Amino acid sequence: MTPPSVYLRPFGLLSGADAHARIAAGDALPLAGGWLAFTGLERIRRTPGAAIHREVLHVAGLANLDGESAGTLARLTAPRGDFAGLSLDRPHVMGILNATPDSFSDGGVHFEADAAVASGRRMAEAGATVLDVGGESTRPGADPVSEAEELARVLPVLEGLQGVACLSLDSRNAPVMAAGLEAGARILNDVSALTHDPRALEVAARAGAPVVLMHASGDPKVMQSRTDYADVVLDVYDYLNERIAVCEAAGLPRASICVDPGIGFGKTRAQNHALLRDLALFHGLGCPILLGASRKSFLADLPGAEAPTGRLGGSLAAALQGLSCGVQMLRVHDVAETAQAAALHMRLHGAA
């Protein structure tokens, strides 16, 4: 019989002085070495074909954990090292720079290299510590572009933003990744978790580049028709866990891997909500977490949010939910507003 999969979802999250006091008293543990602590865990077990079993554990009883649970607990509490030179004891804002004509929200706005570079500089001034440059739309239903076209779109932007912020390259294609790293990108952000191009993992491992592994249910052309999960949170966790193992086997250390649950990529509105509620569970993977919920269509039924540019309020709410779960990086279109909201959130929670 296949052994059950075990997951630990932290609850009773605390911040600031409360977190420090409860940790000192021995009835809370730090969450990923960051600004939060937790007082209990929900241990979830499932075996293929069997019902999911859930039980509540309190910190006082965690000393007796063994096996898979003990390993997950160790990853939940361990401090995260620097990622691409960025300290993760505070959250980071990643500004989105889509050098495309057809991205779902900002398509065409940054299509010209000069416009993208100017926008990137403004984002950095507004608080973005990372700029994510992409040359291929991955919106639902999007068609792929040639590698030559993608390179023509992203390389001038990467070159023009040298020294402005930490640069991330949003690409699924190995030749683009290799050229982007040479042009100054420090992070490879792949919506296919290095599965789209069989050469991508080799490029990342050879360069020792930090990577973001995102969950998506198929490629952009078909992903919104593939939303059938046994349990969306646990299935996404399992997928990311498997991709981490593949990367480690190829020579990429876990410390160089960031995970993204892929909000909006092959998920229904209810499934996106479930992922946002249970983001803290993903700390059990032992990697920093990136949240990309900005302006996505699951927000469209909110008042006044039919158009992507009308989704600022919902996007900020999702970002603050991420911070309340200890997410270390927020990928957003509205940098100034998100940076301001995040700064106040962290200040109010005693973590600024």
Side-chain angles (χ1 to χ4, degrees), residues 278-298:
D278 285 347
L279 282 169
L281 179 140
F282 291 92
H283 290 294
L285 294 168
C287 300
I289 301 170
L290 182 149
L291 175 63
S294 178
R295 298 185 183 178
K296 290 191 173 175
S297 61
F298 79 99

Side-chain angles (χ1 to χ4, degrees), residues 94-99 110-118 120-121 130-135 149-171 173-189:
M94 172 189 277
I96 299 170
L97 275 175
N98 289 318
H110 306 128
F111 190 43
E112 298 297 330
D114 289 346
V117 170
R121 291 183 180 276
V130 185
L131 298 173
D132 193 37
V133 179
E149 176 63 22
E150 188 180 0
L151 283 166
R153 294 174 179 181
V154 301
L155 291 184
V157 182
L158 291 171
E159 292 163 355
L161 289 171
Q162 288 302 302
V164 173
C166 176
L167 299 181
S168 170
L169 174 62
D170 179 3
S171 179
N173 298 304
V176 178
M177 292 178 182
L181 290 170
E182 290 184 5
R186 286 162 53 190
I187 299 171
L188 297 177
N189 181 15

Side-chain angles (χ1 to χ4, degrees), residues 198-257:
R199 304 161 293 176
L201 180 54
E202 180 184 352
V203 168
R206 188 188 313 120
V211 299
V212 179
L213 305 178
M214 196 196 79
H215 174 274
S217 184
D219 64 36
K221 195 71 176 174
V222 300
M223 63 188 179
Q224 288 310 107
S225 65
R226 298 181 178 179
T227 58
D228 188 17
Y229 301 91
D231 181 293
V232 67
V233 176
L234 303 187
D235 289 356
V236 170
Y237 184 103
D238 285 348
Y239 173 86
L240 292 172
N241 194 34
E242 290 170 4
R243 294 307 303 159
I244 291 167
V246 169
C247 288
E248 287 188 307
L252 273 175
R254 194 174 293 242
S256 294
I257 299 170

